[in-house]
Every structure is written in structure tokens, then in C-alpha cells.
Amino acid sequence: MRFLLVEDNAELADAVVQRLGLDGHAVDHAATLAGAEDCLAVAEYDLILLDVMLPDGDGRDFLARKRDHLETPVIVLTARSQISDRVGALDQGADDYITKPFDFSELEARCRAVLRRRGGVARNEIPLGQAIFEPNAGTLTCGDETLELRNREIRLLEVFARNPGQILSKSQLLDRLFSQDADVTENAIEVYVGRLRKKLDGAGVRIETVRGLGYRMSA
């Protein structure tokens, strides 16, 4: 999954980027609302983490302006603990909020919950043919066999699982797995797709190559 973090505290931003990166997420960081605008102009995101007080404005006002045409889920990061502040953020379009200072395990859990709701999934389990995919645990279970997935494999399989039947180009998949400053090529996608194909063998679903266009997961 690819996240956009809008946060002007460099130390906190670096910690969040590193922590979410350990889970295999690609995180782009913007320190201002203008920077966030630039990121949104060139990339698609699965989730936005948005600070309230930023050097060039209020994150909530930014969200209110964007919400009519921005479908990406947003978690507001706020140091304000008043109920009115939290209610206001939700009314202006936030999908969730978290109060600073926060525990990283809570942030990760809230990210997972928002992404599940967006995908119409109530639990962590995602059925894939005859297999059960659990992104949180990083496992793929088919019958009595449970396979462990690496972080990038988890995130790539999430993208396919949440877009069944849709053709996804290598460029789109690259955008979902790696941040803007990552030095990777489309060959990396071929490697990860190859690994997933082996692990999905016998699951009743497959990742097929659509020549000249990309990949598609189908039953």
C-alpha cells in the first residue's frame, strides 16, 4: 500500500515513515499542504495521514476543500483531544483520527481498519479462491498448508485482492509498493509477481499476464 504522510515535525515524520516501511508500505512525506498538493498531482494513494496544524494552513480546511473529489481515506493526526475537535475533523471528511502522542501499534491498527472498511472487508481475512489471505498476519492458507509471506508480497497481494479482475500495469503496481524516492525498476514487480504465483499455486486463483498491459488476478 502507498501512503501519503503530511506532517511538519521532521522527527515524527521520519519515525512514521520508517515504522510503516517495516510493514512493507511505501510512504511519501510532505511537510506542507503545498507539498501534499504536489504529491497528489502525480501519484495515487491508498491512505493519507494528515496533520492538523501545518506551516501553510489547517489540514482540516485542506481536507474539506478536497473531499468532494478525493476518494482516498484520510486519518487526521491531531494534538487536540477535545471532543469538538475530533468531531469537527470527522464532519469535514476524515475517516478516522488519532491523537498525538500516539503509539505506533495503534496507528498501524487504525490504518488497517480504515483500509478494511474501504475494501468492504469486516475482518482481516480475505478469501482468495480456495485460500484465505490474512494481511495482518502475513499468511496465505490453503487447506492444511499455511505459507508465510514477505512484506512486499503481502502488499502486492493486497493490491490484487482489492482489485479483482482489474488489469494493473507494472507502473501502477510500482507506485503502490514503493515511495517516490525509491530506486527500483519494473523488474522488481516481475520478481514479486513470480513469487506470488508460486505461493498461489493450487489456491484456485492466479495472476495472469495481460500482454502489453500488465497483470490481472482471476479465478
Side-chain angles (χ1 to χ4, degrees):
M1 297 287 126
R2 188 169 182 178
F3 296 172
L4 173 62
L5 171 64
V6 189
E7 168 62 59
D8 64 325
N9 184 312
E11 185 176 353
L12 175 60
D14 185 59
V16 171
V17 169
Q18 289 192 39
R19 181 60 180 258
L20 294 176
L22 291 175
D23 285 339
H25 297 296
V27 185
D28 292 329
H29 171 230
T32 63
L33 296 176
E37 291 272 17
D38 291 340
C39 289
L40 290 169
V42 298
E44 293 183 11
Y45 295 95
D46 298 290
L47 180 66
I48 297 172
L49 303 173
L50 177 64
D51 189 19
V52 170
M53 301 304 295
L54 291 156
D56 54 348
D58 191 313
R60 293 167 302 179
D61 294 337
F62 173 82
L63 177 58
R65 293 195 304 271
K66 287 286 186 181
R67 224 6 161 182
D68 286 344
H69 56 274
L70 182 69
E71 297 182 358
T72 308
V74 175
I75 297 178
V76 166
L77 313 177
T78 176
R80 300 175 178 177
S81 58
Q82 295 292 326
I83 292 178
S84 58
D85 292 318
R86 289 177 282 173
V87 169
L90 294 171
D91 283 343
Q92 286 172 301
D95 295 88
D96 200 354
Y97 64 87
I98 188 168
T99 304
K100 300 178 184 178
F102 49 78
D103 186 271
F104 284 114
S105 59
E106 180 184 2
L107 176 63
E108 290 169 329
R110 289 183 180 275
C111 290
R112 290 193 298 267
V114 167
L115 290 170
R116 285 200 307 271
R117 291 199 297 270
R118 184 193 183 200
V121 178
R123 299 183 298 170
N124 284 320
E125 298 180 352
I126 301 176
L128 293 176
Q130 300 168 20
I132 296 295
F133 171 43
E134 296 185 67
N136 190 19
T139 59
L140 182 70
T141 302
C142 187
D144 296 329
E145 184 179 17
T146 297
L147 300 175
E148 300 286 338
L149 303 175
R150 298 179 181 180
N151 282 338
R152 296 293 184 194
E153 295 170 354
I154 296 169
R155 302 311 162 204
L156 180 57
L157 188 53
E158 270 191 298
V159 174
F160 281 119
R162 299 186 190 284
N163 298 276
Q166 181 177 334
I167 298 174
L168 300 167
S169 69
K170 290 180 182 178
S171 176
Q172 287 176 309
L173 295 173
L174 207 62
D175 283 344
R176 286 291 190 272
L177 293 187
F178 298 96
S179 58
Q180 291 179 356
D181 57 356
D183 184 18
V184 293
T185 68
E186 293 183 353
N187 290 337
I189 298 300
E190 296 177 8
V191 172
Y192 290 121
V193 167
R195 290 177 182 173
L196 283 182
R197 281 173 168 162
K198 292 179 181 178
K199 293 184 177 181
L200 288 168
D201 186 36
V205 294
R206 64 192 182 98
I207 300 173
E208 60 179 331
T209 299
V210 182
R211 189 171 182 178
L213 297 176
Y215 301 101
R216 173 173 57 200
M217 175 173 278
S218 59

